[in-house]
Every structure is written in structure tokens, then in C-alpha cells.
Amino acid sequence: MAGLGSSNYWEDLRKQARQLENELDLKLVSFSKLCTSYSSSRDGRRGDTSDTTPLLNNSTQDRMFDTMSVEIEQLLAKLTAVNDKMAEYTNTPGTASLNAALMHTLQRHRDILQDYTHEFHKTKGNFLAIREREDLLGSVRKDIETYKSGSGVNNRRTELFLKEHEHLRNSDRLMDDTISIAMATKENMTSQRSILKSIQSRVNTLANRFPAINSLIQRINLRKRRDSLILGTVIGVCTILLLLYAFH
């Protein structure tokens, strides 16, 4: 009677395992279809710019995904517990003669459990990857739409900024040209002054030798100072006019 009771216990465990495996198989098929339809609906909505809402929107699919994930995890846990009980049964005294057949059956159920677990995690991982990618793309599209909606106001402001920037660049370029002209003029005047000093030194030497030329040299010096004053006034006025134009 003990052997008969043990045999019935084993058969009960096998029935529980097969029942859970059948439920898992159906759940995994529905779970895979849900993930596929989720991806398809995302692709359809990406290509459709209308405001129509699909019959099964993504928020509903997300809730169904969470619910089915919990149900499948519970079934996997129950099937694991049944397999553990079957493993314990194979180690009980009095089952040595049937141990090979029991171990074969147990291994087959373990393989099925492993396959279902692997399929569940793979499908779940694909679903989460698609959802994360689509959430990221949706965020990017939202940012683009926000930018487009505000671009009409920003275009005028950007145009004004660009014009002001161009005006500043032109002013800087004009200032650089003015400074370059002033430096070149300074160098030219320095060179001319050196030449004039040399000439004046020679003329003074001649004047000291020939007093009659002294009056002529004085008139020349007066005219030279007058010309220098006029030239300096002209350069100053031109510089002021250039500065006023640059900062206008």
C-alpha cells in the first residue's frame, strides 16, 4: 500500500507539472503576441501623423504586459516547486528500482521549465528594449515639436542677434584698418622726421658757414612747422570721423 501511495503521489506531481506546463505554453504564446503587437502599433503610430487612437493603445498594452509578466512568473515558480518535489521523491527510500525512469522523467520536466524560463526572459527583454527605445524616440520627437512651435518667435530674435553680431564684426574690422593706417602713418612720419633732421643738420652746418642763407632757412623752418600743424590737424579730424563711423 505504501508503494501504491508513493506511486499515486508521483503521478499527482506529474499531473501538476503537465498542467502548469500547458498553462505556461498558452501564456507564453499570448505574451509573445502582445509584444509583437506592441512593436507593430508603435511602428504604425510613428508613420501615421493623424490623431486617431488605436483600439489597443500603448498604456493598455503596458498594463497587460505587467499583468502577464506577474502571472507567468508565478506559474514558473509553481512549476519549479513541483520539480523540486519530484526531485525529493526520487531520493526517497524504496524508489531505487525505478530511479532511472524517474530521473529521466524529472529531467524532461526540468528541460521544459528551463526552455519556458529562457523564452519568457527573452520575450520580456525584447519588449522592455522596444519600450525604452520608443520612449526615447517619443521624447526626442516631443522636443523637436516644441522647438518647431517656438521657432517662429525665435527666428526674428535670432535674425536680430545675427545682424548685431555682423555689425560688431564690421566695426572691429574698421577699427583694425584704422589702427593699421595710423601705425603706417606714424612709421612714415618717423622716417620723414629722421630724414628732415638729417637735412636740417646739414643745412644748419651750411648756415653757420654762410650767414646769408640763415634768413632763408628760418623761413623754411616756419613753413615746415605750419605744414606739420596742418597735416596733424587733418590726420586728427580723419581719425575722429573714422571712430564716429565705427561706433555708429
Side-chain angles (χ1 to χ4, degrees):
M1 295 294 293
L4 182 59
S6 298
S7 177
N8 291 335
Y9 178 70
W10 174 258
E11 290 300 325
D12 289 339
L13 291 177
R14 288 192 59 188
K15 288 180 180 178
Q16 294 178 28
R18 286 195 296 268
Q19 182 179 356
L20 291 171
E21 288 167 358
N22 291 334
E23 292 181 13
L24 276 169
D25 185 65
L26 295 175
K27 287 287 185 182
L28 287 173
V29 171
S30 300
F31 191 64
S32 179
K33 290 181 178 179
L34 173 65
C35 295
T36 302
S37 64
Y38 183 88
S39 177
S40 300
S41 66
R42 288 279 184 159
D43 293 337
R45 291 184 67 184
R46 191 183 307 125
D48 185 10
T49 57
S50 64
D51 295 332
T52 56
T53 303
L55 294 177
L56 189 61
N57 57 33
N58 291 320
S59 61
T60 303
Q61 289 178 314
D62 289 336
R63 289 194 296 270
M64 292 180 61
F65 169 80
D66 294 335
T67 301
M68 294 186 68
S69 295
V70 172
E71 293 176 352
I72 293 174
E73 288 174 351
Q74 291 175 350
L75 290 174
L76 289 173
K78 291 180 181 180
L79 184 57
T80 301
V82 172
N83 283 349
D84 292 340
K85 291 180 181 180
M86 294 174 69
E88 292 176 0
Y89 178 80
T90 59
N91 295 323
T92 57
T95 60
S97 59
L98 302 174
N99 194 50
L102 297 179
M103 290 300 298
H104 176 74
T105 302
L106 175 60
Q107 186 61 42
R108 186 164 60 84
H109 286 293
R110 283 178 171 174
D111 291 340
I112 294 174
L113 173 62
Q114 184 177 0
D115 291 341
Y116 285 163
T117 303
H118 175 73
E119 182 179 352
F120 168 67
H121 288 301
K122 180 180 179 181
T123 305
K124 183 178 179 180
N126 291 337
F127 181 92
L128 294 176
I130 293 172
R131 185 167 65 181
E132 182 179 0
R133 182 192 65 190
E134 295 299 331
D135 289 342
L136 179 60
L137 291 176
S139 177
V140 172
R141 287 194 295 269
K142 183 179 179 181
D143 293 340
I144 293 174
E145 291 298 329
T146 302
Y147 173 78
K148 287 182 178 179
S149 63
S151 61
V153 178
N154 294 330
N155 282 341
R156 178 60 180 171
R157 186 179 301 173
T158 303
E159 184 179 353
L160 293 176
F161 285 156
L162 290 176
K163 287 183 178 180
E164 184 66 22
H165 179 67
E166 186 64 24
H167 179 70
L168 292 176
R169 289 184 59 187
N170 292 333
S171 300
D172 291 340
R173 190 180 303 111
L174 183 58
M175 284 295 298
D176 291 339
D177 294 340
T178 304
I179 293 173
S180 298
I181 293 172
M183 293 297 294
T185 304
K186 179 182 177 182
E187 293 177 358
N188 190 17
M189 293 182 65
T190 301
S191 177
Q192 290 182 3
R193 185 174 60 181
S194 299
I195 295 173
L196 290 175
K197 283 184 177 181
S198 177
I199 295 173
Q200 184 178 8
S201 177
R202 293 179 183 179
V203 170
N204 289 334
T205 301
L206 291 175
N208 292 330
R209 291 182 181 182
F210 303 98
I213 305 177
N214 192 22
S215 61
L216 178 61
I217 293 175
Q218 290 179 356
R219 287 196 299 269
I220 293 174
N221 288 334
L222 289 174
R223 180 169 294 182
K224 182 181 68 175
R225 283 195 294 269
R226 185 189 63 184
D227 293 342
S228 298
L229 181 61
I230 293 173
L231 180 61
T233 301
V234 172
I235 292 174
V237 171
C238 291
T239 302
I240 292 173
L241 291 176
L242 287 173
L243 292 174
L244 289 176
Y245 177 77
F247 290 101
H248 178 65

